Amino acid sequence: MNNYGLDIWSNNNFLIENGQIKLNYKSMPALLSIIEEIRTNDVKGPILLRFPHLIKKQITTLYSYFDKAIRYNNYQGNFHAVFPLKVNQYPHAVKAIAEQGREFGYGLEAGSKAELILAMSQTTHGAPITVNGFKDKEMMTLGFIAAQSGHNITLTIEGLGELETIIEVANECNLKVPNIGIRVRLHSAGTGIWAKSGGMDAKFGLTSTEIIEAITLLRNENMLDNFTMIHFHIGSQMEDIAPLKRALREAGNIYAELKKMGANSLNSINIGGGLAVEYDQHTHSKSRNYSVDEFSSSVVFLIGEIMNAKNVSHPDIYTESGRFIVASHAVLITPVLELFTQDYQERLLNFKVVNPPLLEELKYLSKNLNNKNSIEYLHDALDHMESLLTLFDLGYIDLQDRSNAEILVHSIIKKALYLTNAYSTNEFVQLQVRLQERYLINASIFQSLPDYWGLDQHFPVMPLHHLDVVPLRAASLWDITCDSDGEIGFNPEKPLYLHDVNLDEEDYFLGFFNVGAYQETLGMNHNLFTHPNEYTVNIDDTSYNIINEVESKNILDILDSIGYNKSDILNKLKHDLKISDFITEKEKNDTLAKLETFVEQNGYLRTTN
Ligand code: PLP
């Protein structure tokens, strides 16, 4: 039975029971029950579900593994973590992070002025705030305001110019000076599609010469005591642990050298993010070669080892991994609207009294196919199909004969596939690439899975139900944007098989998993499709609670948000309708009412699933 790689990517967060995927937590609700409950309120289109217990699980895992490594290595420094807001700034994600992280003193990382304001408003005093990215004088001043307001804030400088700006602000006001961090430019780079953050040609960080200059500048300005942290980040979604180990050795030695140079207040190494998430559904292509256990032990052991060798006291360790914390907490659920090869249904067969002999032969093959002859009959059918197509091109058979032949061959392939259960053989994979089913999903890939569109990042996808039935259809997924990039094609290397369903009789839902990191914030309003309806689901021992509904922006609001005046738009549409000819006044009023309802709904499809 196909479990869609659940054992690889789901980290035991989900399980399959009675043909449905369920949360593997407390009362274990099925995702389908949650979706059906939400849809009873006339909600259509894609739905994003948030599960705060999965954020808690990740935060707890991170802290407990570092705690274990610290105890095991007799490490003298402390462990701290901050959540980088760029990974997910949505209020109900951030609120869950703040709530679940409170007991650990979990902080926030900001990379822009807006994120800094958000961090200042959402962090409990005492929990750290780190600030990265390019900063102007205003942003530095905001950092001073945060420190003055009692926040434990570290401004990490990305270049010498930023340090000069901090000094300028400090000289111009009497506000409390924040802690200062220096991002070091390492020669060690990471690996993978997000590895550009490390290496000598990286966008950020100071070279050794610049670090020495920075120390001199700080000393001359009597601000060396504010310098508390060095920082590096070798890239998100680190596939391989080896580059991190090299980076740790390099950064550890820089730290020890700086201590020797008199940076007495320096007390922390911030190792940035990078902790990877398993996105793969196929054993042969795992996303990372290490566990959190190995990650935390390596960090603690290596830093400790360097400090011991150089006789320097152990620094506190900070991480900024956000993907690891939130990826799993969000699941995108999309209804399937249509299967595009349903035209091959056998009910559409329409034979004549006398059919071409090859077609009669196909009828025979289809009727008599069994598990002993299936491969042989399949080969015969494919052969006949080629001949029938040639006959059609030469004008010897008509369109109805051709349609009958296509339906029969299609059904023979399906039956053969089912009987042999051999859909991983090369021949079947090739056949499926040709005959793949297109599942139209009520969602936008640009809005909800932008990393798939931009970077080919795979996200685990599976149906919510029918999981006790072998899925036989090689599937590609089409979204509803009118853009041919809005497609997740069938990939024989990482095949997706879905079920044959009759959507006139039942709904069919697909879940996209591990979408809680970056996808929401990077999502694009291509075709003006907006962030889907979202809900937070709290699960307890006996049941679950759906809270925090945030509706997808309605059509007028999305137009308004890009600069149109929504009243002008609505008035114009109503005016055009009012002056048009209607036979009855009732029809006019009904149409006006319909128009008003439509513009107050979101843009996803409604009348089908
Ligand atoms: N810290 C910094 C400085 C980053 O640039 C990033 C993202 O690339 C992160 C943290 C988050 O890393 P991750 O995506 O591994 O959570």
Side-chain angles (χ1 to χ4, degrees):
M1 195 61 59
N2 190 340
N3 74 352
Y4 292 92
L6 204 68
D7 48 332
I8 305 168
W9 58 264
S10 96
N11 192 21
N12 281 326
N13 295 335
F14 300 93
L15 54 81
I16 295 173
E17 206 177 67
N18 302 330
Q20 297 200 3
I21 178 160
K22 299 183 171 181
L23 271 298
N24 187 14
Y25 185 66
K26 295 195 171 173
S27 54
M28 298 195 195
L31 283 174
L32 187 65
S33 317
I34 299 173
I35 287 303
E36 281 175 343
E37 184 175 333
I38 291 170
R39 283 168 59 97
T40 52
N41 294 327
D42 198 32
V43 172
K44 305 276 182 172
I47 289 173
L48 186 100
L49 298 180
R50 296 190 197 284
F51 297 102
H53 73 276
L54 293 178
I55 293 182
K56 180 170 189 162
K57 174 177 171 182
Q58 294 305 97
I59 297 177
T60 311
T61 303
L62 184 69
Y63 277 89
S64 59
Y65 275 109
F66 269 95
D67 190 42
K68 179 177 147 206
I70 281 175
R71 277 186 284 112
Y72 183 79
N73 290 288
N74 197 18
Y75 190 85
Q76 302 304 306
N78 294 312
F79 172 71
H80 308 274
V82 289
F83 175 77
L85 284 166
K86 72 179 84 146
V87 181
N88 196 327
Q89 302 115 350
Y90 275 73
H92 295 299
V94 173
K95 283 207 165 76
I97 292 160
E99 230 169 272
Q100 308 296 346
R102 193 160 296 125
E103 65 178 293
F104 300 97
Y106 192 39
L108 293 171
E109 183 260 5
S112 65
K113 287 183 210 176
E115 286 182 359
L116 178 51
I117 293 290
L118 187 56
M120 287 159 67
S121 69
Q122 303 298 314
T123 321
T124 341
H125 280 191
I129 296 178
T130 60
V131 187
N132 301 315
F134 295 113
K135 305 165 212 66
D136 63 1
K137 196 168 167 186
E138 268 181 25
M139 188 156 165
M140 295 299 189
T141 310
L142 275 175
F144 278 65
I145 293 173
Q148 181 71 28
S149 320
H151 281 295
N152 167 11
I153 181 169
T154 307
L155 297 179
T156 306
I157 59 159
E158 308 283 358
L160 278 175
E162 290 197 351
L163 182 56
E164 282 157 8
T165 311
I166 293 188
I167 293 167
E168 206 181 310
V169 178
N171 288 335
E172 281 173 13
C173 68
N174 290 318
L175 297 174
K176 189 160 179 251
V177 182
N179 295 327
I180 297 171
I182 293 180
R183 177 150 175 178
V184 296
R185 183 177 295 239
L186 303 179
H187 66 74
S188 322
T191 55
I193 45 182
W194 287 284
K196 287 194 296 267
S197 308
M200 290 314 277
D201 56 350
K203 190 168 156 195
F204 302 108
L206 279 72
T207 60
S208 2
T209 315
E210 288 169 325
I211 297 171
I212 294 171
E213 266 188 83
I215 299 300
T216 312
L217 202 55
L218 283 165
R219 184 173 281 125
N220 292 345
E221 296 291 331
N222 275 333
M223 286 177 69
L224 197 51
D225 281 349
N226 297 97
F227 172 44
T228 56
M229 178 185 282
I230 62 163
H231 172 250
F232 71 87
H233 169 71
I234 63 167
S236 189
Q237 187 65 2
M238 242 172 29
E239 300 169 341
D240 183 3
I241 193 141
L244 174 72
K245 292 187 177 187
R246 288 195 290 276
L248 284 166
R249 286 200 190 92
E250 200 180 338
N253 278 298
I254 293 174
Y255 180 92
E257 292 295 317
L258 289 172
K259 290 297 282 184
K260 287 198 177 142
M261 286 168 63
N264 295 331
S265 298
L266 178 62
N267 57 20
S268 307
I269 297 186
N270 180 343
I271 65 167
L275 198 41
V277 162
E278 192 53 76
Y279 289 107
D280 260 298
Q281 291 188 271
H282 303 84
T283 29
H284 57 273
S285 54
K286 286 192 159 198
S287 307
R288 57 172 199 203
N289 72 353
Y290 57 92
S291 63
V292 202
D293 198 0
E294 182 182 348
F295 177 87
S296 47
S297 327
S298 303
V299 171
V300 172
F301 171 77
L302 280 170
I303 298 181
E305 186 185 52
I306 295 164
M307 301 309 147
N308 293 346
K310 297 219 158 175
N311 212 11
V312 170
S313 53
H314 295 171
D316 283 0
I317 296 169
Y318 281 71
T319 73
E320 295 179 339
S321 275
R323 182 190 294 276
F324 174 82
I325 300 295
V326 289
S328 62
H329 95 284
V331 182
L332 176 79
I333 301 198
T334 67
V336 171
L337 298 175
E338 209 171 322
L339 269 63
F340 275 94
T341 47
Q342 275 198 349
D343 351 299
Y344 287 120
Q345 286 171 21
E346 287 183 55
R347 66 179 168 81
L348 299 174
L349 283 168
N350 188 3
F351 294 113
K352 298 169 187 156
V353 181
V354 181
N355 296 293
L358 279 177
L359 201 53
E360 287 297 340
E361 185 63 21
L362 282 180
K363 277 168 78 177
Y364 173 87
L365 294 174
S366 171
K367 190 161 165 235
N368 295 294
L369 188 97
N370 61 40
N371 49 4
K372 289 211 184 81
N373 62 24
S374 61
I375 300 281
E376 186 192 336
Y377 277 25
L378 167 73
H379 291 154
D380 289 349
L382 292 173
D383 200 38
H384 292 346
M385 187 72 218
E386 286 298 317
S387 308
L388 281 159
L389 287 174
T390 308
L391 289 175
F392 177 77
D393 289 347
L394 296 173
Y396 290 110
I397 64 166
D398 64 16
L399 199 57
Q400 184 60 60
D401 296 328
R402 178 178 163 164
S403 155
N404 290 338
E406 284 173 357
I407 295 172
L408 284 171
V409 171
H410 208 264
S411 119
I412 290 168
I413 295 172
K414 269 179 16 185
K415 284 184 201 157
L417 186 63
Y418 183 74
L419 288 170
T420 54
N421 208 1
Y423 51 94
S424 56
T425 65
N426 225 350
E427 181 180 24
F428 274 108
V429 168
Q430 294 317 317
L431 277 176
Q432 284 161 351
V433 172
R434 258 177 55 199
L435 292 178
Q436 60 190 277
E437 186 81 87
R438 270 90 188 193
Y439 291 73
L440 180 69
I441 54 172
N442 200 356
S444 153
I445 288 171
F446 301 87
Q447 168 60 234
S448 293
L449 303 169
D451 277 345
Y452 177 80
W453 168 73
L455 297 164
D456 254 349
Q457 173 62 52
H458 176 83
F459 292 90
V461 53
M462 65 185 284
L464 304 190
H465 42 157
H466 290 290
L467 297 169
D468 43 4
V469 178
V470 180
L472 291 177
R473 305 314 320 267
S476 57
L477 308 178
W478 282 355
D479 75 4
I480 52 169
T481 62
C482 64
D483 191 317
S484 47
D485 274 353
E487 178 185 2
I488 300 180
F490 179 72
N491 176 357
E493 306 280 306
K494 299 179 176 185
L496 172 67
Y497 294 96
L498 295 176
H499 300 93
D500 247 328
V501 278
N502 184 347
L503 294 170
D504 294 333
E505 285 168 12
E506 60 169 336
D507 291 330
Y508 189 58
F509 295 100
L510 299 182
F512 292 85
F513 295 81
N514 288 346
V515 299
Y518 294 106
Q519 303 319 295
E520 292 179 71
T521 56
L522 295 176
M524 287 158 265
N525 292 344
H526 189 27
N527 274 150
L528 301 181
F529 288 112
T530 53
H531 189 271
N533 273 34
E534 66 159 270
Y535 303 82
T536 299
V537 185
N538 284 327
I539 302 171
D540 59 34
D541 288 330
T542 52
S543 182
Y544 61 88
N545 249 332
I546 301 172
I547 56 168
N548 299 340
E549 173 179 15
V550 183
E551 280 190 49
S552 184
K553 262 202 191 111
N554 74 33
I555 293 172
L556 282 183
D557 285 342
I558 177 72
L559 292 174
D560 195 67
S561 74
I562 57 169
Y564 292 94
N565 181 313
K566 61 181 179 182
S567 333
D568 287 354
I569 287 186
L570 188 55
N571 290 340
K572 161 91 173 85
L573 298 190
K574 280 163 69 175
H575 170 77
D576 289 351
L577 207 51
K578 276 181 192 158
I579 58 167
S580 73
D581 290 334
F582 275 95
I583 294 174
T584 65
E585 199 58 18
K586 178 173 180 326
E587 189 171 14
K588 181 191 258 188
N589 291 336
D590 287 353
T591 313
L592 278 167
K594 252 186 214 155
L595 176 67
E596 292 206 47
T597 311
F598 292 166
V599 293
E600 304 236 325
Q601 286 166 346
N602 67 53
Y604 291 100
L605 303 189
R606 292 184 57 82
T607 44
T608 42
N609 284 301

